[in-house]
Amino acid sequence: MFALPQLPYDYSALEPYIDTETMHFHYDKHHAAYVKNLNDLLTGYDDLMNFNIQELLKSFDKVPEDIIQKVINNAGGVANHSLFWQIMTPAAESTIPQEGKFFDLMNSTFDSFDLFKEKFTTISMGHFGSGWAWLVVNDGKLEIIDTMNQDSPVTKNLIPILTLDVWEHAYYLKYKNVRADYIKAWWSVVNWREVERLFNDAIQ
Ligand code: MN
């Protein structure tokens, strides 16, 4: 069985940038639905049910054809949201690192954290329709990519360390159709310490 991971903070912890009502809908309804749907889909497929979510994302070749697209959508929905909660934190704790391997590679790849944020924002803004923007580790290098719907970079053997949900359900209650305001606010609650930790794990 796949489980809904606990939120690492209270529903109101990301206010005013990510509002409490959105957190409730996004986590209680959307994320929970992906978990339920995935468990329903894989009932009776014990070998698939025994994978952890990361293994499942890399094992779509083992999923029967009649349920494959639904499994892709819901497994991605489960994993992508788990990472999304994980890489946010109350604004007071959102501190960009000032030294270390991650700091150095961010600067040598994107010239500065500010320019990284600009490039990531441009990709997030330019993504048409539902999907996600990502900072991934690819063979020791940092890359910004976007994916459609609930597709996960893990399936392509990339290691995601930062992600932004650009589905309208992630921002519509507070920001309406103005994705730019949501992205600008979101930068205030990025958990850079956790992103750095994921980076260090990825390059082991
Ligand atoms: Mn979402």
Side-chain angles (χ1 to χ4, degrees):
M1 293 285 282
F2 295 91
L4 184 64
Q6 242 187 327
L7 268 186
Y9 35 71
D10 191 77
Y11 291 98
S12 62
L14 308 180
E15 289 272 9
Y17 307 100
I18 307 291
D19 62 292
T20 308
E21 193 188 8
T22 297
M23 284 301 298
H24 270 289
F25 271 92
H26 205 172
Y27 175 78
D28 297 343
K29 306 291 183 192
H30 291 280
H31 195 183
Y34 290 117
V35 173
K36 183 184 184 303
N37 292 341
L38 184 61
N39 284 320
D40 288 351
L41 277 163
L42 296 185
T43 298
Y45 299 99
D46 293 352
D47 47 337
L48 298 173
M49 201 68 113
N50 284 330
F51 284 133
N52 68 40
I53 192 71
Q54 302 291 315
E55 290 166 342
L56 181 61
L57 290 170
K58 293 181 184 181
S59 306
F60 289 150
D61 56 320
K62 298 185 174 66
V63 177
E65 210 166 315
D66 56 326
I67 57 168
I68 180 64
Q69 191 56 51
K70 286 180 180 168
V71 172
I72 290 171
N73 295 343
N74 288 287
V78 170
N80 299 348
H81 288 93
S82 297
L83 180 65
F84 187 52
W85 312 133
Q86 192 183 338
I87 56 80
M88 293 192 285
T89 194
E93 290 157 35
S94 172
T95 313
I96 291 176
Q98 297 300 318
E99 56 176 14
K101 269 190 188 168
F102 176 61
F103 175 82
D104 290 343
L105 191 57
M106 285 291 280
N107 282 305
S108 62
T109 306
F110 304 108
D111 293 331
S112 68
F113 273 73
D114 279 347
L115 286 171
F116 161 73
K117 283 160 79 169
E118 252 179 53
K119 192 171 178 199
F120 191 96
T121 298
T122 300
I123 286 187
S124 304
M125 282 302 298
H127 182 88
F128 183 78
S130 296
W132 297 75
W134 307 84
L135 176 62
V136 300
V137 178
N138 180 9
D139 205 11
K141 297 189 190 75
L142 290 168
E143 290 173 6
I144 303 170
I145 64 165
D146 59 340
T147 61
M148 291 301 294
N149 301 316
Q150 294 294 357
D151 290 353
S152 165
V154 174
T155 305
K156 298 175 202 148
N157 283 313
L158 304 170
I159 305 174
I161 62 172
L162 175 71
T163 191
L164 174 62
D165 190 342
V166 295
W167 284 57
E168 280 191 343
H169 71 226
Y171 59 89
Y172 203 84
L173 286 176
K174 183 175 171 80
Y175 297 100
K176 305 304 174 207
N177 60 325
V178 189
R179 187 186 285 181
D181 288 354
Y182 158 65
I183 297 172
K184 187 163 183 270
W186 175 75
W187 287 118
S188 298
V189 293
V190 170
N191 187 345
W192 288 107
R193 219 170 292 166
E194 183 63 12
V195 176
E196 182 177 33
R197 194 188 66 76
L198 291 165
F199 169 79
N200 286 330
D201 277 0
I203 58 166
Q204 286 301 307

